[in-house]
Amino acid sequence: MQLLPIGIYLLLCLILAYAGRKSRIGAFGIFLCCVIFTPLLVGLILALVRPFPKKASSGSSADS
């Protein structure tokens, strides 16, 4: 019965590691932080420091 909560915890850690694979510390670093701290805290930090996606330029110039 103790394996289900541990499995859910590790699954959340893996999901966050996948989401943070392009971060500065990488997927393994995110996974380790999740295991040491908590996936909720690391997920919140990851969401706050994740850069905004770049908007695509329209390609037309106003000077022409």
Side-chain angles (χ1 to χ4, degrees):
M1 285 297 170
Q2 294 291 328
L3 292 179
L4 185 62
I6 293 171
I8 293 171
Y9 188 87
L10 289 177
L11 182 65
L12 287 173
C13 292
L14 286 172
I15 291 170
L16 282 173
Y18 180 76
R21 68 189 184 279
K22 293 184 180 179
S23 66
R24 174 177 263 179
I25 62 173
F28 186 71
I30 295 291
F31 180 78
L32 240 120
C33 288
C34 285
V35 170
I36 293 171
F37 301 112
T38 177
L40 184 65
L41 177 67
V42 175
L44 181 66
I45 291 171
L46 190 64
L48 289 175
V49 298
R50 179 163 249 177
F52 292 113
K54 294 181 180 179
K55 294 183 180 180
S57 62
S58 61
S60 63
S61 63
D63 295 333
S64 303

